[in-house]
Amino acid sequence: MAITVHPVAPATPPPTPTPAGSVAVQPLPALHPVPRRRWSSRATRPLLALALVGASLAAAPAAPAGARDLPPAAPLAANPYERGPAPTVASIEATRGPFATAQTTVAAGSVSGFGGGTIYYPTSTAEGTFGAVAISPGFTARQTSVAWLGPRLASQGFVVITIDTRSVYDQPASRGTQLLAALDYLTNTSTVRTRIDRNRLAVMGHSMGGGGSLSAASTRPALQAAIPLTGWHTQKSWSTVRVPTLVIGAENDTVAPVSSHSEPFYTSLPATLDKAYLELNAASHSAPTSSNVTVAKYSISWLKRFVDDDTRYEQFLCPAPRGSAIEEYRDTCPHS
């Protein structure tokens, strides 16, 4: 007679007894704090991008049948602060960028620390928050002298405030203080404060306002960028500045000659700093007070590169740009 033998599963060993009065504790994986890093680091950016891609691949479920015909997923951005499409020469020379903008007036009586102004901002926040830029006019001038920069920069993905100073006769140091007050207003109490990343801020200014941008950068090293436009200041040494700075001078400037203002400003900045000097060919002191393709093109590139850490704009800054509109360009390429 045939006998069928069925396999018997091995007995499961009993759990290890826990002593009376004790609680079994399962070990947890070690947790390590993740430090905040500047996304502009050449060394960490490729590693981070690879880590993000690796993590996404590890977490992705197996593709269902027939999924091979689907279009590939969009690649992960290595930098979360990128705003807008990939730039081209045409896009940064255009009078308007990819973002629709709006503006709102800030009455002098409604703020303290500066003389009011106008805010220009992207209307959509679909891509997230934006960096912010405060811009000061020069001696005896009002915000109308730098107003053209407002919508031009905002349409590239920034919140911009062009300010009036408390007095048109305010000196550069005072204008620097007022630029910082305007940034504080933007990020703390303005109607657009929720659109702004308070860690991505910059200052610009013309003439004494340009000198003011250097003063502001010296006072607040947490700023991400400074751009003095044909700047004027009695102080010539800025060796304590730690903010990436683009100095723009004008060859035929008789109010703030480059030999006694923009050039010594640039050379006094630390050699280890991300910095550049652009001298406008055959231009006067007032060149930045009206629509100027060269001023806009390189200001946009500098702000994008250092406020947004967007290395897609590095191509317009390194290697050093050349052209009939540029008398001279100096830099510390490659940027960190």
Side-chain angles (χ1 to χ4, degrees):
M1 179 173 60
I3 300 175
T4 303
V5 178
H6 297 281
V8 179
T12 303
T16 302
T18 302
S22 64
V23 178
V25 178
Q26 297 298 324
L28 295 175
L31 299 178
H32 301 282
V34 180
R36 185 180 186 273
R37 300 181 183 271
R38 274 189 65 90
W39 288 85
S40 58
S41 169
R42 294 190 302 275
T44 58
R45 183 185 296 274
L47 294 176
L48 180 57
L50 290 172
L52 289 172
V53 173
S56 67
L57 291 174
R68 295 178 181 177
D69 297 330
L70 296 176
L76 293 174
N79 173 17
Y81 305 132
E82 289 180 2
R83 299 292 181 265
T88 64
V89 171
S91 74
I92 60 174
E93 290 184 348
T95 56
R96 292 294 181 272
F99 292 91
T101 65
Q103 65 186 73
T104 184
T105 301
V106 179
S110 67
V111 295
S112 61
F114 65 106
T118 304
I119 301 173
Y120 305 84
Y121 60 95
T123 56
S124 172
T125 57
E127 293 190 38
T129 55
F130 300 97
V133 187
I135 309 176
S136 169
F139 188 66
T140 73
R142 299 189 181 277
Q143 62 165 313
T144 51
S145 67
V146 290
W148 72 276
L149 284 163
R152 190 109 171 209
L153 298 180
S155 68
Q156 295 286 347
F158 297 100
V159 175
V160 182
I161 183 167
T162 56
I163 70 168
D164 277 319
T165 49
R166 291 176 295 181
S167 163
V168 295
Y169 305 109
D170 286 336
Q171 296 297 298
S174 174
R175 291 170 190 266
T177 300
Q178 293 179 64
L179 284 168
L180 296 179
L183 289 176
D184 291 341
Y185 167 76
L186 274 183
T187 56
N188 294 328
T189 59
S190 75
T191 58
V192 298
R193 62 188 179 278
T194 59
R195 298 172 181 268
I196 300 171
D197 181 343
R198 63 188 306 118
N199 295 314
R200 296 159 50 209
L201 307 176
V203 289
M204 297 177 66
H206 171 245
S207 192
M208 283 195 181
S213 70
L214 288 168
S215 291
S218 178
T219 301
R220 189 173 294 183
L223 293 174
Q224 300 297 296
I227 306 178
L229 305 169
T230 58
W232 190 101
H233 205 300
T234 56
Q235 180 175 331
K236 308 304 179 186
S237 177
W238 299 97
S239 60
T240 61
V241 169
R242 297 295 180 266
V243 177
T245 301
L246 169 63
V247 178
I248 297 181
E251 182 185 17
N252 296 338
D253 191 339
T254 58
V255 177
V258 293
S259 61
S260 56
H261 291 274
S262 292
E263 287 183 328
F265 295 163
Y266 172 79
T267 56
S268 71
L269 292 166
T272 55
L273 184 68
D274 287 315
K275 63 178 183 175
Y277 171 75
L278 189 162
E279 186 174 317
L280 301 169
N281 182 43
S284 69
H285 184 68
S286 62
T289 63
S290 60
S291 182
N292 185 299
V293 172
T294 306
V295 170
K297 177 179 182 178
Y298 295 105
S299 294
I300 290 166
S301 298
W302 195 263
L303 294 172
K304 283 288 191 178
R305 177 63 182 82
F306 293 104
V307 175
D308 288 356
D309 291 333
D310 193 338
T311 56
R312 296 179 300 174
Y313 289 80
E314 182 81 354
Q315 62 182 303
F316 307 115
L317 302 170
C318 296
R322 298 287 184 263
S324 59
I326 300 175
E327 169 63 22
E328 182 183 1
Y329 194 95
R330 310 180 206 173
D331 58 58
T332 55
C333 291
H335 296 124
S336 61

